[in-house]
Amino acid sequence: MALGIPVGYSKEVLREEYAIPGWGMAYVIGLALLIECLALLTIGLVRPWGERLPRWVPFFGGRDIPPRAALIPATFGTVALTAIIAVVMLQVLIGVKDDGHLSGTSSTVMVLCYLPAFFWGPLLGLVTYSYRRRHRHLL
């Protein structure tokens, strides 16, 4: 979409409603990068680099990460992701968000592509709970 590929939308809709080409391209790319960074933080709850910063990190490398510094944002993220994605998916599934621009195959493909996101919040909750159990002696 950020590259101007219609992905089910007409070029007029991309231009008028999403400002593509234009600032909308930067927005879509920035949003994708933000989501990827948040996904990496999720992985940090189960990997060693999520407990101790790697040595190559300037100024803070090699230091332990306080468990609360991971638990508080992860818990907030669990609640926020679950709520946001549930509301959006329900709206898409019942047709509330359908503005008439996507239909048929395009709409079905979009829902199928975003369906795994529905599980991100609950799975983040499970990983957060596991992290808390492993670090309860430090809390």
Side-chain angles (χ1 to χ4, degrees), residues 45 64-73 131-132 135-136 138-139:
L45 292 170
D64 287 340
I65 298 172
R68 286 195 172 120
L71 283 172
I72 293 170
Y131 182 89
R132 185 186 183 288
H135 293 88
R136 68 177 156 235
L138 298 174
L139 294 173

Side-chain angles (χ1 to χ4, degrees), residues 9-96:
Y9 293 105
S10 68
K11 290 192 182 270
E12 293 79 30
V13 170
L14 286 177
R15 186 175 44 255
E16 293 170 14
E17 294 193 24
Y18 297 102
I20 294 175
W23 72 268
M25 294 170 70
Y27 173 77
V28 170
I29 292 170
L31 188 59
L33 290 173
L34 174 67
I35 291 170
E36 290 300 322
C37 289
L38 292 173
L40 286 174
L41 289 176
T42 302
I43 294 169
L45 292 170
V46 296
R47 301 296 303 156
W49 57 263
E51 297 174 3
R52 180 183 303 244
L53 288 172
R55 294 223 175 265
W56 57 264
V57 175
F59 307 111
F60 301 107
R63 293 186 184 175
D64 287 340
I65 298 172
R68 286 195 172 120
L71 283 172
I72 293 170
T75 302
F76 175 75
T78 296
V79 173
L81 272 172
T82 303
I84 292 167
I85 292 174
V87 168
V88 169
M89 288 301 282
L90 286 173
Q91 288 179 338
V92 168
L93 290 173
I94 64 174
V96 172

Side-chain angles (χ1 to χ4, degrees), residues 89 92-93 105-117:
M89 288 301 282
V92 168
L93 290 173
T105 305
S106 298
S107 180
T108 303
V109 169
M110 183 192 73
V111 169
L112 291 175
C113 287
Y114 282 98
L115 191 58

